[in-house]
Amino acid sequence: MPVTNFCFGGPDLRTIFFTTFTELGRIRVGVPGLDPDREIEQVTGAGWTAEGRTD
């Protein structure tokens, strides 16, 4: 059954909640997901855009 959506949750963000067309499930994992309230620093240097690689 294909997964239609998923997200990290739980108090320690170590539970993946997922849905299929007919089911809802959860899986405990060893590595936590990113906290949505965490501030992310800007990365500089070479990277990729929709137009291709930037230097």
Side-chain angles (χ1 to χ4, degrees):
M1 186 67 58
V3 172
T4 56
N5 199 356
F6 74 95
C7 68
F8 285 91
D12 58 0
L13 296 175
R14 291 179 187 245
T15 304
I16 296 177
F17 293 93
F18 65 92
T19 60
T20 68
F21 289 113
T22 59
E23 298 177 311
L24 168 66
R26 67 179 179 203
I27 299 172
R28 283 287 289 172
V29 294
V31 178
L34 289 178
D35 183 350
D37 295 326
R38 187 182 106 181
E39 191 168 319
I40 298 173
E41 63 184 71
Q42 181 71 29
V43 177
T44 59
W48 292 91
T49 67
E51 290 77 33
R53 185 179 170 96
T54 63
D55 292 320

